[in-house]
Amino acid sequence: MSGHGTTVPMTARRGGALKGEAHVPGDKSISHRSLILGALSVGETRIEGLLEGEDVLDTGKAMQAFGAEVIQHGPGRWSVHGVGVGGFAEPAQVIDCGNSGTGVRLIMGAMATSPITATFTGDASLNGRPMGRVTDPLALFGTQAYGRKGGRLPMTIVGAADPVPVRYTVPVPSAQVKSAVLLAGLNAPGQTVVIEREATRDHSERMLAGFGAKVVVETLPEGRVITLDGQPELVPQDIVVPRDPSSAAFPVCAALLVEGSDVLVPNIGLNPTRAGLFTTLIEMGADLTYENLHEEGGEPVADLRAKFSPNLKGIEVPPERAASMIDEYPVLSVVAAFAEGETVMRGVKELRVKESDRIDAMAKGLRAAGVTVDEGEDWWIVTGRGHGDVPGGVTVESRLDHRIAMSFLVLGLATQKPVTVDDASPIATSFPIFESLMATLGAAITRSNG
Ligand code: S3P
């Protein structure tokens, strides 16, 4: 688990062009959901292309602790023998979700309406993140939560023995909160309704329907209204996990910034609730194209081709696009540093409660590297210096945050002087092959000594 292992400092420096194919791992959001929904089905779900990052492996261990059988058959090939909706057993040990907000919040939802008690913990990053956003709606089902001050982990959840269905409007744009309520609604009688004012990633709705639940999604003036019929029998599935657009973002952005680069990132899931970064990069003038666009499992998928783009322009990112690229703002801020003019990012308060405060983490590191960044509670502006003109020559903190670590390593591939990340070990939570994959493209990223 990140935060418990050895610190791994890494340095990125300017080198030759990046060339070749980048086969990024499976989608993290879909991987978590495959394990959890598999555990809530009766019988065997088979999964191909599962992300074998620490976050997802922790969710797999948790599903075992709740009574499911989770088995690895080969690289990315897993099966889950589920116990059915309402079939979770009480875990004998504390559930450690490591670094994963998605893991802990979705699992809390999945157990909240069963008559069992479980205690959750995580690493220093996860134990600092707010859980009230999930335990507040779970309380409406009759679930009790006992955590630390401010609704922090470690936290004990006492599942509702007699859950009632819930109608809940999610107060912040969060797929984790939406999904926790839907998963809790599975074991409540009647209909559970979740309303989101802004659309967030819709993997839970799609996958619940795929596993045989009745889920109706309507777009009404109040927002996206999702109605789930409780107590379905979920039917095990064969799942092929698409490759993660949030991981694809790193080789794509690196290729745009490194002179002479031409990188193909095959088979990337382009669900519109996830693809906002690519639209934004194209608007900034990136030489980024979709090849071989087709559908897989009802989702748009394409090969992304990214080429060196020396004439990027800063833009105002539409705030209504934020949810569809929420995990990509750190690496976008790196691209913005090499663009001409300002890149304005508004409506992004959620970035402050991710694995780290991502606005603060990026702003401090970019400023140290010679880039002007202005910020407020829910906005930030990066003033680009144009291609070739970002000094670098700094050591920055990754703050137990995989995306901060990878973003700064992308930065260092194009700055005048190298950039060192104090600890790149968190990258293993979501993108365990990042180092080797970037090396095959020719990126000059090396382990450095403290
Ligand atoms: C995720 C939802 C998002 C995202 C996270 C994955 C999910 O979090 O940042 O990486 O799989 O539901 P929020 O729900 O906090 O926006």
Side-chain angles (χ1 to χ4, degrees), residues 170-353:
V170 186
V172 288
S174 167
Q176 293 173 1
V177 176
K178 166 177 66 177
S179 304
V181 178
L182 289 172
L183 290 169
L186 280 176
N187 200 35
Q191 290 187 325
T192 287
V193 181
V194 185
I195 300 148
E196 54 177 7
R197 297 195 190 94
E198 295 169 51
T200 63
R201 66 191 67 196
D202 61 358
H203 306 302
S204 294
E205 297 92 302
R206 286 175 187 247
M207 291 179 73
L208 278 163
F211 274 82
K214 183 160 179 255
V215 185
V216 177
V217 181
E218 296 160 290
T219 305
L220 300 177
E222 54 193 314
R224 267 183 96 241
V225 180
I226 307 151
T227 304
L228 170 79
D229 284 8
Q231 298 178 327
E233 179 165 316
L234 297 185
V235 183
Q237 297 297 303
D238 285 349
I239 298 172
V240 179
V241 180
R243 293 175 193 269
D244 199 327
S246 298
S247 295
F250 297 102
V252 162
C253 290
L256 302 180
L257 301 180
V258 176
E259 227 162 304
S261 297
D262 181 351
V263 169
L264 189 72
V265 192
N267 250 323
I268 298 304
L270 290 176
N271 178 316
T273 64
R274 297 289 299 283
L277 171 74
F278 305 124
T279 308
T280 301
L281 292 173
I282 291 166
E283 287 175 5
M284 292 173 79
D287 188 347
L288 173 64
T289 45
Y290 298 163
E291 298 179 358
N292 183 23
L293 192 59
H294 62 288
E295 286 223 343
E296 262 176 38
E299 300 255 358
V301 170
D303 303 343
L304 305 181
R305 182 173 289 281
K307 293 186 188 166
F308 173 54
S309 304
N311 298 313
L312 295 165
K313 301 266 176 293
I315 64 161
E316 170 124 22
V317 182
E320 61 277 11
R321 192 180 290 162
S324 71
M325 51 181 288
I326 195 66
D327 290 335
E328 283 66 74
Y329 281 95
V331 76
L332 174 66
S333 72
V334 169
V335 174
F338 296 91
E340 294 287 346
E342 291 184 345
T343 295
V344 181
M345 298 166 278
R346 295 190 194 280
V348 291
K349 199 164 155 198
E350 279 295 299
L351 292 177
R352 296 208 179 267
V353 290

Side-chain angles (χ1 to χ4, degrees), residues 389-433:
D389 212 16
V390 180
V394 284
T395 296
V396 296
E397 291 179 355
S398 64
R399 302 191 187 180
L400 286 180
D401 188 331
H402 53 131
R403 299 200 202 285
I404 299 302
M406 290 186 278
S407 298
F408 281 128
L409 290 172
V410 170
L411 176 75
L413 293 177
T415 45
Q416 290 163 351
K417 292 194 184 134
V419 171
T420 296
V421 171
D422 66 343
D423 182 15
S425 68
I427 294 173
T429 61
S430 71
F431 199 160
I433 60 164

